[in-house]
Amino acid sequence: MSAPAAGPRPPALVLRDVVKEYEGVPPLRVLHGIDLTIAPGELLAVLGPSGSGKSTLLALIGTLDRPTSGSINLEGHDLARLSDKQVAALRARRIGFVFQQFFLLPGLTTVENVATGLLYTGETARTRRERAVSALKDVGLGHRLDHHPDQLSGGEKQRVAMARAVIGDPGLLLADEPTGALDTVSGAGVIDVLRGLNARGTTVIVITHDRDVAASFPRRIGIHDGRIAFDERDAGAGAPLESGIGGVRGVDTRSRPARRLA
Ligand code: ADP
Ligand code: MG
């Protein structure tokens, strides 16, 4: 897998006419031609009714599945040109995931759970542990290092899952309803952590049902019946249209344009 050509930083993601059908008779078309460009360092919310295709979209972006047709380019890599093995390597290095369910391993401590995020990197056990401790401190859990998941609150478990997701320093963090199983206060804490990661440069995409959370994000994408229903950007948010590569196509052009950063 060759590195993208030198030059301006490529977009974090470019989706062109992405269609996804699930097998069946007849096939179930869940995404109907999604066009989307996301710049490095964006923080965006994905909104939409249940069943509209949000998780399917995130799974495609996260390389967990492949589109039926259309193209996905991740940080300059055209995924269709990569083998499954190459895609898996790219995913391991560049993408972190957080889900509504925390998927922590019950027999492991907090540190051990987070260190699993580095299992396939070739780091020594000692380095993995040190980095796990540091990642846990970053999410405010430095005092819970040796707890087991059943000794943690829901909000704490999600922080562990976030530390595990970002310990390898991925460029892209994908979160599918990360506050869906949490009370309001814990949920707000989780969103704060996501914001902090974004502030350090990580591109963050969050599926959320929480309209207040979404409203507080600089960019919001609405999915309806497998299509982009809206794509709104706050003035001054990000610089995705400055790259000269794309921007958003096929969406509501009445949404506010991106403005050049001061
Ligand atoms: P959302 O996350 O917006 O609730 P999903 O992307 O999970 O929506 O699902 C969109 C549609 O695709 C739903 O009708 C769902 O039942 C269907 N679907 C999701 N995953 C699969 C699958 N693996 N096989 C078949 N149908 C699926
Ligand atoms: Mg979903």
Side-chain angles (χ1 to χ4, degrees), residues 122-167:
E123 301 278 10
T124 63
R126 183 191 171 132
T127 301
R128 293 200 301 268
R129 186 184 164 83
E130 284 170 4
R131 287 181 58 180
V133 169
S134 160
L136 280 162
K137 287 181 179 161
D138 284 350
V139 299
L141 281 183
H143 58 307
R144 294 283 186 271
L145 300 180
D146 296 315
H147 283 56
H148 282 79
D150 63 3
Q151 300 170 312
L152 300 175
S153 71
E156 288 173 335
K157 285 182 208 171
Q158 192 61 299
R159 284 164 187 262
V160 176
M162 284 193 286
R164 179 183 55 192
V166 301
I167 188 175

Side-chain angles (χ1 to χ4, degrees), residues 51 54-56 176-177 207:
K54 305 181 297 298
S55 293
T56 298
D176 193 343
E177 301 192 34
I207 295 178

